[in-house]
Amino acid sequence: MDDAQTLKKPPRWADAVPDREAQFDTKRRAVVRAAARAFGRSGFHNTSLDEVAEALGVTKPALYRYVRTKHEILYEAKCIAFEAGLKARTMAFAATPDPVQRIRLYVVAYIELVTGELGSFAVLAEPVTTLPPEYRDLIMARMREADRALRDMVQAGMDAGGLAPGDPKLAVAFLMGAINHIARWYSPDGPLTGRQIGEAFAGFILNGLVGMDRPRL
């Protein structure tokens, strides 16, 4: 077969269509997103799997192909948030060497990603203690990992002189406390986009971390 024939050869069907595992993961993620929105409307404890199935337009047995319990959905939603946090940190480090601007970019990107992925992400306000131990321990480990990464980012800003000296642990508690509270009031149907909220919160947070004796950012 000559080069021209090789170039004209159509792609294999297996290359063009996602494999079963990829399709399953995509559908499972859609279930989690739909459930997160349902939990946002009525609350985690007040929403049944029947209501999640109804929101997706599927039967409950079909839903059980992807998730077995509400706690599994809550766990997966929190995992999506951690994935968004990791992606936001990666984007921030790739974009600039400035440690203060990295924090700004992280805040904007994280809020935009998590609101876009989960829509109404009120489910994230549900405490970790709601989860059974097999999920809770995994989430706690990821929380510690994310907390260490953010403390390092804040410490770098302090070391560079861009942020007021202080305790990075408290600074991260302040930063993430502000961000996590968004879950209690944000609505994808509201007047502001996730990015707009992220830009506003980045300004509030950095002006707080810079300190009153320094020029505002």
Side-chain angles (χ1 to χ4, degrees):
M1 182 179 294
D2 60 27
D3 290 341
Q5 289 174 310
T6 301
L7 290 173
K8 292 179 181 178
K9 185 179 180 181
R12 293 188 307 162
W13 180 253
D15 296 331
V17 179
D19 60 29
R20 288 185 178 181
E21 184 177 352
Q23 291 182 50
F24 179 87
D25 289 343
T26 298
K27 290 178 179 179
R28 192 168 192 267
R29 204 170 182 95
V31 168
V32 173
R33 287 198 299 266
R37 291 180 175 88
F39 294 153
R41 290 190 295 270
S42 305
F44 177 77
H45 295 285
N46 296 325
T47 305
S48 67
L49 284 180
D50 288 320
E51 291 170 302
V52 174
E54 183 179 353
L56 282 167
V58 300
T59 63
K60 196 170 181 181
L63 180 66
Y64 276 143
R65 290 183 56 201
Y66 303 101
V67 291
R68 300 296 301 178
T69 67
K70 291 200 304 180
H71 291 110
E72 185 178 352
I73 293 172
L74 176 58
Y75 167 76
E76 292 293 344
K78 288 184 178 293
C79 285
I80 287 174
F82 284 118
E83 290 169 13
L86 176 58
K87 185 174 182 179
R89 291 196 303 272
T90 301
M91 291 167 61
F93 274 84
T96 178
D98 186 310
V100 176
Q101 290 307 312
R102 281 175 177 170
I103 295 173
R104 175 188 292 279
L105 292 174
Y106 166 79
V107 171
V108 175
Y110 176 69
I111 293 175
E112 183 176 26
L113 285 168
V114 80
T115 53
E117 179 70 14
L118 290 175
S120 175
F121 68 121
V123 65
L124 298 183
E126 193 66 33
V128 177
T129 52
T130 300
L131 292 167
E134 63 268 25
Y135 292 136
R136 184 172 62 242
D137 294 346
L138 293 171
I139 291 299
M140 291 297 294
R142 296 193 71 169
M143 287 177 65
R144 289 190 291 269
E145 179 185 2
D147 186 69
R148 283 194 297 269
L150 289 175
R151 287 190 204 182
D152 288 345
M153 290 175 69
V154 170
Q155 185 66 64
M158 292 176 177
D159 292 344
L163 301 180
D167 185 343
K169 179 179 179 180
L170 293 179
V172 171
F174 163 70
L175 183 158
M176 291 308 299
I179 293 175
N180 289 337
H181 192 72
I182 297 172
R184 298 188 177 277
W185 55 262
Y186 173 77
S187 169
D189 300 322
L192 297 175
T193 66
R195 183 169 188 84
Q196 288 171 324
I197 294 170
E199 294 281 5
F201 268 62
F204 298 148
I205 289 168
L206 284 181
N207 281 324
L209 295 180
V210 164
M212 295 302 293
D213 58 334
R214 298 171 184 270
R216 290 179 175 268
L217 297 177

